[in-house]
């Protein structure tokens, strides 16, 4: 699917929806569904997404950011306050990167919790 060119028009929604159908069908077939079942499932998925998010502008970040977030959360959960060097070796990163990740995730957690206070 990489490199798929989508025609630039005023509204790209139909092209994006067609791409969503094609991509989800290919993934489902890759995971063992028959062509017919993959077609039905991709249509149902696309309809659910349209019903849930129809009319909204949605930004899809690159998947790498999601992987980095998962890694960062794992490092934060492993952190005990004194094991920067151990985490540095385990994750093959600099100690400064471990400090940055721990501080960043901690700050995000604090900000997330603060919004629930309703102040």
């Amino acid at each position: 699917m990489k490199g798929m060119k989508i025609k630039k028009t005023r509204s790209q929604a139909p092209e994006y929806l067609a791409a969503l159908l094609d991509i989800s069908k290919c993934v489902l077939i890759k995971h063992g569904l028959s062509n017919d079942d993959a077609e039905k499932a991709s249509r149902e998925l696309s309809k659910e997404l349209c019903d849930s998010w129809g009319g909204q502008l949605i930004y899809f970040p690159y998947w790498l950011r999601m992987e980095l977030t998962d890694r960062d959360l794992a490092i934060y959960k492993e952190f005990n306050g004194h094991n920067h060097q151990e985490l540095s070796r385990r994750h093959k990163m600099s100690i400064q990167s471990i400090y940055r990740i721990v501080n960043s995730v901690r700050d995000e957690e604090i900000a997330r919790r603060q919004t629930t206070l309703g102040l």
Side-chain angles (χ1 to χ4, degrees):
M1 301 309 143
K2 288 186 178 183
M4 183 184 306
K5 296 213 178 195
I6 298 175
K7 188 173 129 183
K8 299 271 184 195
T9 62
R10 186 168 170 265
S11 172
Q12 295 178 329
E15 289 86 2
Y16 288 146
L17 187 54
L20 174 63
L21 285 163
D22 291 343
I23 292 167
S24 58
K25 181 180 173 184
C26 288
V27 169
L28 292 167
I29 289 171
K30 186 171 90 174
H31 285 276
L33 268 70
S34 69
N35 189 58
D36 289 342
D37 288 343
E39 177 79 27
K40 289 176 190 172
S42 67
R43 286 193 173 279
E44 185 175 337
L45 171 65
S46 297
K47 183 184 179 320
E48 289 293 325
L49 291 172
C50 286
D51 289 347
S52 296
W53 296 334
Q56 296 183 40
L57 180 63
I58 298 173
Y59 167 77
F60 286 96
Y62 288 101
W63 188 254
L64 176 62
R65 184 64 222 152
M66 182 63 122
E67 290 174 347
L68 292 177
T69 300
D70 290 344
R71 180 206 63 195
D72 293 356
L73 286 172
I75 289 170
Y76 182 73
K77 288 177 183 175
E78 295 168 8
F79 179 64
N80 66 15
H82 305 288
N83 60 342
H84 290 90
Q85 190 167 7
E86 175 190 337
L87 292 173
S88 170
R89 280 193 306 271
R90 184 181 310 153
H91 293 279
K92 297 180 178 145
M93 301 173 74
S94 69
I95 292 174
Q96 292 81 5
S97 293
I98 298 297
Y99 273 103
R100 182 184 43 76
I101 288 168
V102 168
N103 290 336
S104 175
V105 174
R106 185 194 65 234
D107 291 347
E108 287 178 26
E109 282 292 308
I110 290 170
R112 184 181 60 79
R113 290 181 187 153
Q114 293 296 321
T115 59
T116 61
L117 292 177
L119 299 176

